[in-house]
Amino acid sequence: MMCLARACAALLALVLAGCVLARPAEMPKLANAVVSRDFDSYALRRIGLLPFAGRGLTTTQGLDLQRALHSELAQSTPFELVLLDGDDLAELDASDPYRRGWYKPKTIIGLSERYDLDGILFGIVTQERFFPPQLLSLQVDLVSAETGLVIWSGSVNLDASDPRVVSGLKVYYGFEEDDDQSWRVALLSPERFARFAAFQIACLL
């Protein structure tokens, strides 16, 4: 009888251990956001999304990041997203937001009226290293078309040598088996690494 009890206890322990192992891995939260107190008072339906900017960032890289964020936001938000082009970005640059710390309302409102936008999302790459170990820091601001004020701002800092980033890549790219290589490719591919960064930011909007 004692042997049977021990056997049952051992079996129960194995079952519980199997349940723990079977639980899906949790996605680490690597991004942060600052939200204005009156965010919910804004009617946000149609949002413009600009190519990313940043010192040393090529036009192609800026567009790749724009498309990555567009893809993630399209899955996680109810907004109608409008992809804006480089000419629109040049017009916003005249506002010099990163030096002034604010946007010229006239510039924002003019661009919003042209495309019938309720807000404009644009991002900047504040730090990058596109070779292993990759490093990517993004900041994305949502500016109200009505006031020209930032009503939401998200940022993420990813370092491929950080175990939490590696853990997140495994979850995002569907790590299931020890021999699965999809997440490892992201450690080498700037495009895949950037897509994960965009996902982290999109989760907070």
Side-chain angles (χ1 to χ4, degrees):
M1 189 71 176
M2 184 64 68
C3 291
L4 180 59
R6 288 179 179 175
C8 290
L11 180 60
L12 179 60
L14 288 174
V15 171
L16 291 176
C19 290
V20 171
L21 293 175
R23 290 176 183 172
E26 292 186 6
M27 173 65 71
K29 179 184 175 183
L30 303 172
N32 297 290
V34 177
V35 185
S36 67
R37 293 182 179 179
D38 59 347
F39 181 84
D40 291 335
S41 68
Y42 289 89
L44 301 173
R45 176 187 57 85
R46 187 174 162 89
I47 305 295
L49 176 58
L50 287 158
F52 274 70
R55 182 178 300 176
L57 197 70
T58 67
T59 300
T60 299
Q61 290 168 336
L63 290 171
D64 286 344
L65 281 165
Q66 179 196 33
R67 286 190 287 266
L69 186 58
H70 175 271
S71 179
E72 294 299 335
L73 288 173
Q75 298 179 58
S76 63
T77 70
F79 305 139
E80 178 185 350
L81 299 168
V82 180
L83 290 174
L84 305 178
D85 60 27
D87 292 338
D88 299 315
L89 178 61
E91 186 172 326
L92 269 183
D93 282 344
S95 189
D96 202 11
Y98 295 103
R99 182 175 299 176
R100 297 172 181 269
W102 54 278
Y103 302 87
K104 292 180 180 178
K106 184 177 180 180
T107 303
I108 302 298
I109 294 172
L111 189 57
S112 299
E113 288 179 345
R114 183 186 310 168
Y115 295 103
D116 189 25
L117 303 174
D118 301 309
I120 299 173
L121 269 171
F122 72 96
I124 185 171
V125 176
T126 57
Q127 195 175 16
E128 50 78 14
R129 183 170 63 229
F130 293 124
F131 55 86
Q134 292 193 76
L135 184 68
L136 185 60
S137 298
L138 306 179
Q139 179 179 328
V140 178
D141 290 341
L142 173 56
V143 181
S144 166
E146 180 182 355
T147 64
L149 298 176
V150 176
I151 58 175
W152 180 93
S153 182
S155 63
V156 64
N157 302 292
L158 300 183
D159 185 338
S161 62
D162 183 343
R164 295 182 68 233
V165 173
V166 174
S167 177
L169 289 171
K170 289 179 179 180
V171 176
Y172 181 74
Y173 284 106
F175 176 74
E176 295 178 350
E177 304 294 339
D178 290 339
D179 60 349
D180 182 56
Q181 298 297 309
S182 59
W183 68 272
R184 295 184 186 276
V185 175
L187 295 175
L188 305 174
S189 167
E191 181 180 353
R192 281 175 167 254
F193 200 67
R195 178 66 180 266
F196 178 62
F199 162 79
Q200 284 285 333
I201 288 182
C203 284
L204 299 181
L205 183 58

